[in-house]
Every structure is written in structure tokens, then in C-alpha cells.
Amino acid sequence: MNTITTAGDAQEYRTTMQEAALNFLQRHQGEHLADDGHLFDRAVSYLVNAMDVPTFMADRLVYLAMSELSAKPKPAPIGIDYGTGDSTTVALLHFSTGEKVLIPCRHLPLRLQPPTAQPAAAAAN
């Protein structure tokens, strides 16, 4: 019975440390947009130094966490705010910073035009 408890405890430890790695990756992925290798190294270092995870296990846990992170759909960093502007402009919205920039509707592809601007845009093309 003791070995079953020990195996369960080991699995729970690995799951908890993988969740810690995933949380670290989510918090810091915006700092490493072009270099996943550096993010991987930082996450391994975090597990080893802050969470006292053995190095051989930290590598595997971060690898699994990165696989889990990449499997999740990522939200688009930029969206269109049709409520800002007038009938000829829309705002591009950067979700992480909240910045908005007004652009003319004519610069958007037809499928992204606001519903009121589509007939006019189709006539112009």
C-alpha cells in the first residue's frame, strides 16, 4: 500500500511542478517573442532554483509545459473596434497594451469592413 501512495505522491508532485512551469511560461512568454529557447532556459532555471526541482526533471517538465502551452489557441494580439471612429474609420486595438489607432475603413479587406461600409466598399472595387 505504501508504494501506491508514493507513486501517487510522485505523480502529484510532477503535475504540480509542470503547472508551475506552465504558469511561469504564460507570465513570461511576451518577453521572448522570437526566442523560445531562452524562455525554456529561464523556466528550467526557475524550477531548479526557486522550486528545488532536480535538473533532469525540470527539463522534462518545462518541455511538457511548453507543449501544453503551444497546443492552446493563442488569442490574436490585435483586433478591430468598430465602435470607435466614424463611418469611414475603425480602430485597431492592441489587446495587451490597450492602444488604439484609427485607420480608414478602405485599408481593411472587404471581409473585415464594418457592415455599413461593405456596400460602399464593394461599389468602389
Side-chain angles (χ1 to χ4, degrees), residues 12-80:
E12 183 179 341
Y13 173 76
R14 285 191 297 269
T15 301
T16 303
M17 291 302 111
Q18 183 176 335
E19 287 174 5
L22 180 60
N23 290 333
F24 180 89
L25 292 169
Q26 289 171 332
R27 283 192 314 268
H28 296 281
Q29 69 182 351
E31 300 167 20
H32 303 280
L33 297 176
D35 187 10
D36 282 346
H38 189 64
L39 178 60
F40 179 86
D41 293 341
R42 281 188 63 201
V44 170
S45 177
Y46 168 74
L47 288 183
V48 169
N49 297 320
M51 307 295 281
D52 293 325
V53 175
T55 305
F56 76 91
M57 187 182 293
D59 284 340
R60 178 73 176 149
L61 292 173
V62 172
Y63 173 77
L64 292 171
M66 286 189 91
S67 297
E68 187 178 340
L69 184 66
S70 65
K72 292 182 179 179
K74 296 177 183 158
I78 296 176
I80 300 172

